[in-house]
Amino acid sequence: MASSCSVEACLPSRRRQGPSYAPPVPLEHLHVLDLLELTGSQIKAARALAMHQSTVCRSAALMGEQFRLQPRKGASVCRYGSNESLRLLRLAYRAHRLMGGQLRIATDPLHQALLAGMVSVQAVPPRIRPSQEWAQLLSQALIDGAIVSSWCHPRVLAGERLPSWSGVITVPLGTLPLQLVSHTPATAEATNPRKVLLPRRNVTPLLHEALAGHGFQVEQQPISSQDVPSWLKRMHDRQLAMPLCPGLADPGWIESQDLVLHPEQPHLIEQLWLLLPQGLVGSSREARHLIRTLRQRVEKAGETRLGVGDSPGHEPLQVLGDDLITASRENDAKTA
């Protein structure tokens, strides 16, 4: 559950991405600015774009000057500035991607494997964000869609309710189980079964509440250290556990990282949503194919679990009730 420009995902992918999308010449500077916004820094954008940092800096400065952008210090979305003129240009860029059969789809590192190998998907460097930030990026046309975990939503939604934002549709993809893993301790006394490493609380509030309510001490990964090696090193050095979905990992990856099932296994289930612009599903064959493929992959990933089940003596944590899971499946059938 980490984000990095140089690493496509926290979990390695079995399937390789298709050819990268090449923006038309008039939109090249916008493409650089978009990656700068999505990655959060010039260094990370340069790595993602395979170009020198000074080139990223020049493109950002040019866009800022020509579109009279005012940087928003401390903002998490559109921190380099935005206005109606730039938003319309991004909508034009989205239209051009759709003409080429491409969708710019984003997600966090834990779920990046769901997008692997899709030739119609222009994947962007993964990053953990609250659900409302993904919706804002979508409304500004910085992305064409986002796979969002219910753990990143500020509150539990009961019954058939789905999160709602203006101009955005929410498509349920299914549910995934998460399991706690930790590094193999050097000695039996070295492991601390009650500490878990999570993203910042404002990003995954429900996951924090769930694990804290089950008696776990939560340690937050610094926002400046979101690459995969940093996560694994912090887990190892501090003897922390971390939740992940085993079905999204390559065969043998967990063992190769010297990770084992944590002694305690609360039952953690997340709902996945695909956020899309209104009207895209009806007008884009690629969007409909994306929905079908993602649902199939989520269903398959959900069938994989490590070990033989939950630890005895612990009640499952069913943060999403059975009624919501049933409703999700009914919505799946209606949307398919």
Side-chain angles (χ1 to χ4, degrees):
M1 299 174 63
S3 62
S4 169
C5 293
S6 59
V7 180
E8 285 192 352
C10 178
L11 306 180
S13 169
R14 291 185 277 273
R15 301 166 293 272
R16 296 188 178 275
Q17 293 286 352
S20 59
Y21 172 80
V25 173
L27 296 175
E28 286 179 349
H29 291 299
L30 176 63
H31 184 70
V32 174
L33 181 63
D34 282 358
L35 267 291
L36 182 58
E37 289 281 7
L38 292 170
T39 59
S41 75
Q42 291 183 8
I43 294 176
K44 293 178 180 179
R47 290 175 183 170
L49 293 162
M51 61 176 54
H52 198 276
Q53 183 180 344
S54 61
T55 305
V56 174
C57 183
R58 286 195 297 271
S59 286
L62 179 66
M63 292 296 292
E65 178 183 353
Q66 294 188 348
F67 285 86
R68 303 177 187 177
L69 302 179
Q70 297 296 321
R72 302 166 60 215
K73 188 175 181 179
S76 54
V77 174
C78 295
R79 58 186 295 190
Y80 296 92
S82 183
N83 51 40
E84 185 64 9
S85 177
L86 183 62
R87 191 184 74 85
L88 291 173
L89 184 64
R90 282 178 167 147
L91 286 171
Y93 188 13
R94 173 183 286 171
H96 186 272
R97 289 194 295 270
L98 292 174
M99 284 173 56
Q102 291 281 306
L103 295 169
R104 179 185 284 174
I105 307 299
T107 190
D108 61 79
L110 181 62
H111 303 98
Q112 187 78 353
L114 291 170
L115 296 172
M118 295 188 188
V119 296
S120 62
V121 168
Q122 180 193 22
V124 297
R127 190 165 181 177
I128 306 172
R129 297 180 183 272
S131 59
Q132 59 268 28
E133 285 189 13
W134 288 123
Q136 291 173 26
L137 289 169
L138 193 63
S139 66
Q140 289 292 321
L142 271 155
I143 57 176
D144 306 324
I147 301 173
V148 180
S149 169
S150 56
W151 297 119
C152 298
H153 202 59
R155 61 188 180 279
V156 176
L157 300 176
E160 298 185 11
R161 292 186 59 195
L162 291 170
S164 176
W165 297 274
S166 177
V168 176
I169 65 168
T170 304
V171 180
L173 297 177
T175 58
L176 283 178
L178 301 185
Q179 291 183 276
L180 296 182
V181 297
S182 56
H183 281 95
T184 304
T187 65
E189 292 77 18
T191 186
N192 188 335
R194 308 299 294 172
K195 286 192 174 183
V196 63
L197 182 63
L198 297 180
R200 308 292 293 182
R201 183 179 179 87
N202 69 311
V203 177
T204 55
L206 296 181
L207 192 55
H208 275 253
E209 291 176 15
L211 286 167
H214 204 64
F216 283 86
Q217 297 180 39
V218 175
E219 185 163 330
Q220 301 182 99
Q221 179 73 357
I223 195 169
S224 59
S225 302
Q226 289 297 307
D227 59 284
V228 176
S230 296
W231 276 76
L232 294 174
K233 184 178 186 303
R234 193 176 189 90
M235 285 176 62
H236 180 270
D237 292 346
R238 304 191 180 220
Q239 290 298 314
L240 304 173
M242 186 182 79
L244 57 78
C245 176
L248 296 180
D250 271 352
W253 182 84
I254 292 177
E255 294 81 359
S256 70
Q257 300 300 318
D258 199 27
L259 298 175
V260 295
L261 262 183
H262 196 265
E264 299 185 50
Q265 288 296 322
H267 192 186
L268 302 173
I269 296 179
E270 65 176 349
Q271 169 76 54
L272 290 186
W273 305 308
L274 177 63
L275 307 188
L276 293 170
Q278 279 187 346
L280 187 64
V281 176
S283 62
S284 170
R285 179 180 59 184
E286 288 77 19
R288 295 190 294 273
H289 175 72
L290 174 67
I291 293 171
R292 289 193 300 269
T293 303
L294 288 177
R295 285 175 169 169
Q296 292 169 0
R297 292 185 176 184
V298 168
E299 182 178 7
K300 183 176 180 181
E303 296 171 354
T304 302
R305 289 178 182 266
L306 298 175
V308 294
D310 296 330
S311 300
H314 293 275
E315 291 297 323
L317 267 181
Q318 191 74 17
V319 177
L320 295 173
D322 292 335
D323 55 340
L324 181 53
I325 295 173
T326 302
S328 170
R329 290 171 179 166
E330 292 174 352
N331 285 333
D332 285 355
K334 294 177 182 177
T335 311

